[in-house]
């Protein structure tokens, strides 16, 4: 009988973790299932040395990150570890890079989204630095604190 292995202690940037939770909810999956689905599908992606170097420059460290216990099947973990050794980065960073790749594609598609040619187009408004900072801080809050802030905002708009 083999010993049961514990989850891999993954550290994800808060914004990436929020997006992963959102995607999981959209696809009616657990966050773990969503992460494993994306990681399994990412195995066909080959990152060049330049792409890895650019990613590391863009995301050197994560001051605002969340711990996430991810039970990774042995075969998938071995594949991811092989890639991390090829890229000379940690397994955690390999996983973050692969998930961030999907996240960035999703962001680009959201911005470029068009409804129908004969309907209204969605035009994203640019986000200022201060708005982005507030958004990042909000996403870093736990669910209870988010609800409190949303309630306060709703109360402000109701009284205007």
């Amino acid at each position: 009988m083999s010993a049961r292995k514990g989850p891999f202690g993954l550290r994800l940037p808060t914004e990436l973790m929020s997006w992963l939770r959102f995607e999981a909810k959209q696809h009616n999956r657990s966050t773990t299932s969503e992460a494993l689905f994306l990681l399994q599908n990412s195995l066909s992606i080959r990152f060049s040395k330049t792409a890895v170097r650019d990613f590391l420059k863009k995301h050197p460290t994560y001051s605002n990150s969340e711990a996430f216990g991810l039970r990774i099947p042995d075969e998938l973990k071995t594949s991811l570890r092989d890639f991390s050794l090829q890229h000379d980065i940690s397994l955690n960073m390999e996983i973050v890079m692969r998930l961030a790749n999907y996240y960035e594609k999703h962001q680009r598609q959201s911005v470029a989204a068009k409804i129908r040619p004969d309907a209204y187009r969605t035009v994203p408004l640019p986000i200022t630095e201060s708005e982005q900072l507030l958004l990042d801080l909000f996403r870093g809050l736990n669910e209870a604190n988010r609800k409190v802030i949303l309630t306060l905002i709703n109360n402000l708009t109701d009284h205007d």
Side-chain angles (χ1 to χ4, degrees):
M1 199 188 286
S2 64
R4 185 166 186 193
K5 297 177 185 171
F8 176 75
L10 184 61
R11 302 274 322 158
L12 287 176
T14 303
E15 187 173 348
L16 185 57
M17 188 66 198
S18 295
W19 172 78
L20 188 60
R21 285 184 182 119
F22 174 79
E23 286 296 297
K25 191 172 185 178
Q26 294 299 309
H27 297 123
N28 202 23
R29 297 185 188 128
S30 69
T31 307
T32 296
S33 295
E34 186 70 22
L36 293 176
F37 174 79
L38 293 172
L39 290 171
Q40 186 66 49
N41 287 337
S42 78
L43 294 179
S44 62
I45 301 169
R46 301 292 187 257
F47 294 101
S48 67
K49 288 183 180 183
T50 305
V52 174
R53 191 172 36 247
D54 290 347
F55 178 80
L56 293 174
K57 281 181 189 175
K58 190 176 174 184
H59 309 283
T61 57
Y62 299 105
S63 57
N64 198 7
S65 64
E66 285 189 46
F68 178 47
L70 184 61
R71 289 191 192 276
I72 307 173
D74 290 340
E75 188 176 309
L76 177 58
K77 192 172 189 176
T78 299
S79 297
L80 292 169
R81 190 173 307 281
D82 289 345
F83 282 121
S84 73
L85 293 171
Q86 289 172 18
H87 296 141
D88 197 29
I89 58 178
S90 69
L91 178 58
N92 190 88
M93 189 57 79
E94 182 73 31
I95 291 170
V96 169
M97 182 173 66
R98 289 178 176 280
L99 293 175
N101 184 55
Y102 280 105
Y103 173 66
E104 288 167 4
K105 281 182 188 175
H106 174 35
Q107 292 294 86
R108 285 191 300 267
Q109 290 170 354
S110 295
V111 169
K114 296 176 184 171
I115 301 176
R116 287 190 330 254
D118 59 336
Y120 294 106
R121 284 182 55 187
T122 58
V123 179
L125 297 174
I127 296 177
T128 66
E129 276 187 53
S130 57
E131 289 170 329
Q132 186 63 51
L133 178 62
L134 283 170
L135 181 59
D136 291 341
L137 290 171
F138 179 78
R139 288 179 172 162
L141 297 173
N142 64 35
E143 192 64 30
N145 286 337
R146 285 181 186 183
K147 286 181 181 178
V148 168
I149 289 175
L150 289 173
T151 300
L152 287 170
I153 291 170
N154 285 333
N155 286 340
L156 287 173
T157 57
D158 288 345
H159 294 295
D160 285 344

